[in-house]
Amino acid sequence: MIKSIRLVNFKNFADETLRVGPFTVIVGANASGKSNIRDAFRFLNGIGRGYTLAEIIGGKYGADWKPIRGAANEIIRFGQLLFSLEVGVNLNGIELHYLIEVSSLSDRDDPQKIDKFWVSREQLISGATSVFHSYGSGERPEIEESLEPYIDIHPDKPFLTQLLLYRQKVELLSPDDQAVVEQLHSIFANMRFLELSPAQMREPSFPGANILGDSGENLPTVLEEICADPERKKMFADWLSELTPMDVADFEFPRDPHDRVCLMLGEANGRRVSAYSASDGTLRFLAMLSILLGENPKGLYFFEEIDTGIHPARQWLLLELIEKQAAKNDIQIMTTTHASDLLTFANDGTFENMSVVCRREDSHDAIIRPVAELPDAKKLRKSGRGLGGLLTEGWMETAIAFTENHDEAEGDGE
Ligand SMILES: Nc1ncnc2c1ncn2[C@@H]1O[C@H](COP(=O)(O)OP(=O)(O)O)[C@@H](O)[C@H]1O
Ligand SMILES: [Mg+2]
């Protein structure tokens, strides 16, 4: 499980760390930097997919991999030449620390335009031992001599990936270290970034396409698979009836003339409704349920604004479902949100992994702070309108500004 991510000169973060848990909630004003955090996770996912830096940042044609927002010219904090990401992972009790630093070179004729990236430093520490540590000059990575004959010149490919590529040729690492590298790579590979689109979810899907797309594509086939198991089907229908005023008694999956799978919802009153006329909110719930109640869900799911399209009266129920599933399964859920109820009704575990992102007034850089560490947050959470009320009132930003000024004043005195 990923425990933390540190962003240095990445987008609008100078040097900030986000605490990550089974369910991580990120709040903050518009354009504060919430989605920039998602972009950092996408970068890690790109490593897990085995891509080069150019592909991770600029997109990979034909692989359904879009560029990181802002692409090459805006991934590094303005005015800087390099960025780094540092991830803390708990791997069955072992603490891993992975760091990747990426340097850039500008176009000779246009300093605003970045010409190339390379991995200038990369390190993996497992427990107290270093698994590898490499430095790159942009020409070829400088690595330990024993490895040198085997590693090709790929200054633009993370060493973590190269170690896997060369695994077949030669044993570069001890079996234990090799296993750590493989597991970390697969943690990075197992990330999904969902931005659900009801329009996409309404479309029939091809038989066998049983993985929900990032916009919710293939919903009918995914649901059909879940409904093949009577127990899961019942759980699914029960949650859906709780989440929506509609009493769903059954799901049907008729084929269209092209043999694609369609979705029909049967209500207890005997009415049947096709996905085409199901409400946006119902479809969003269906998609989230199919992830959370799917068979062995694993990996990290990042939802952009999970509360979109969901009635405030039902948000706490969605929260309950996520908290329950994330705690018992091998999954991590992260979301950005503006929903005050999601904060007010969060349990103690979620409260610990709730962070607020806001901008410094002077430099406009973004800061990330755990809500639980803001002054009196624990007390205020239990009083009045709860954390949601504080979010609405803008208390979080004020509290951060207060602590920052306070810390600075203390620092000056030293
Ligand atoms: N390379 C960069 N350097 C400094 N600031 C950046 C950079 N790239 C983006 N930003 C800032 O990040 C903001 C967008 O943040 P974003 O994460 O999309 O906001 P939100 O919190 O609404 O999701 C932009 O308005 C811009 O100010
Ligand atoms: Mg955003």
Side-chain angles (χ1 to χ4, degrees), residues 187-375:
I187 286 175
F188 290 168
N190 275 308
M191 291 184 188
R192 296 284 307 279
F193 301 87
L194 292 119
E195 255 175 297
L196 298 173
S197 146
Q200 302 265 8
M201 294 186 253
R202 291 195 167 90
E203 291 300 317
S205 53
F206 288 99
N210 55 3
I211 294 177
L212 194 77
D214 290 348
S215 312
E217 304 92 330
N218 308 329
L219 184 63
T221 15
V222 172
L223 280 184
E224 187 175 34
E225 199 180 75
I226 291 177
C227 290
D229 173 353
E231 208 173 299
R232 281 203 291 153
K233 178 176 177 178
K234 170 143 194 329
M235 191 152 69
F236 208 93
D238 289 349
W239 270 104
L240 193 63
S241 314
E242 291 252 25
L243 289 166
T244 65
M246 148 170 134
D247 196 2
V248 181
D250 205 8
F251 302 93
E252 290 170 32
F253 305 95
R255 299 309 200 242
D256 78 357
H258 309 286
D259 211 28
R260 289 181 307 178
V261 185
C262 305
L263 170 64
M264 299 285 290
L265 305 172
E267 297 194 46
N269 59 18
R271 267 194 215 145
R272 292 166 75 245
V273 170
S274 79
Y276 286 109
S277 37
S279 89
D280 285 11
T282 302
L283 291 168
R284 285 177 187 279
F285 273 132
L286 283 171
M288 285 188 238
L289 284 171
S290 68
I291 290 167
L292 293 165
L293 303 177
E295 208 171 4
N296 307 321
K298 68 178 185 131
L300 185 142
Y301 290 87
F302 199 117
F303 287 91
E304 271 288 328
E305 302 178 358
I306 203 161
D307 47 287
T308 309
I310 288 171
H311 193 277
R314 300 285 185 225
Q315 278 165 8
W316 63 271
L317 213 82
L318 176 66
L319 177 77
E320 193 185 303
L321 174 71
I322 296 175
E323 287 175 338
K324 224 168 153 173
Q325 295 305 110
K328 76 172 182 215
N329 283 301
D330 213 4
I331 53 173
Q332 288 189 276
I333 310 274
M334 299 188 78
T335 187
T336 60
T337 186
H338 295 290
S340 51
D341 278 2
L342 221 66
L343 303 199
T344 299
F345 297 108
N347 68 20
D348 292 350
T350 306
F351 176 60
E352 290 301 322
N353 296 302
M354 194 180 278
S355 287
V356 52
V357 181
C358 76
R359 298 234 217 148
R360 274 182 211 280
E361 275 171 27
D362 47 1
S363 61
H364 301 287
D365 289 334
I367 24 188
I368 306 175
R369 292 289 175 274
V371 173
E373 282 176 14
L374 297 179

Side-chain angles (χ1 to χ4, degrees), residues 73-182:
N73 294 330
E74 291 179 353
I75 191 163
I76 304 180
R77 189 161 70 99
F78 297 141
Q80 304 295 315
L81 296 172
L82 51 87
F83 75 84
S84 70
L85 297 176
E86 201 175 325
V87 196
V89 172
N90 181 319
L91 195 72
N92 314 317
I94 308 172
E95 300 270 324
L96 304 185
H97 280 276
Y98 172 74
L99 167 109
I100 183 162
E101 180 191 87
V102 176
S103 293
S104 68
L105 196 71
S106 304
D107 191 298
R108 222 179 274 191
D109 303 322
D110 179 2
Q112 299 289 312
K113 205 173 145 264
I114 288 175
D115 226 19
K116 96 174 197 190
F117 291 99
W118 71 92
V119 180
S120 44
R121 190 176 155 208
E122 201 175 340
Q123 182 175 30
L124 175 59
I125 299 172
S126 166
T129 51
S130 168
V131 177
F132 67 80
H133 196 166
S134 71
Y135 296 92
S137 64
E139 299 309 320
R140 54 168 296 160
E142 274 171 41
I143 47 175
E144 288 154 45
E145 250 170 51
S146 60
L147 306 182
E148 202 158 343
Y150 309 108
I151 301 288
D152 257 345
I153 307 165
H154 284 309
D156 68 336
K157 194 164 231 174
F159 196 57
L160 194 72
T161 303
Q162 295 196 49
L163 279 173
L164 292 186
L165 290 177
Y166 288 88
R167 173 186 45 190
Q168 275 88 4
K169 279 201 199 162
V170 62
E171 278 182 19
L172 297 175
L173 301 173
S174 72
D176 282 355
D177 285 352
Q178 185 69 36
V180 166
V181 165
E182 275 169 34

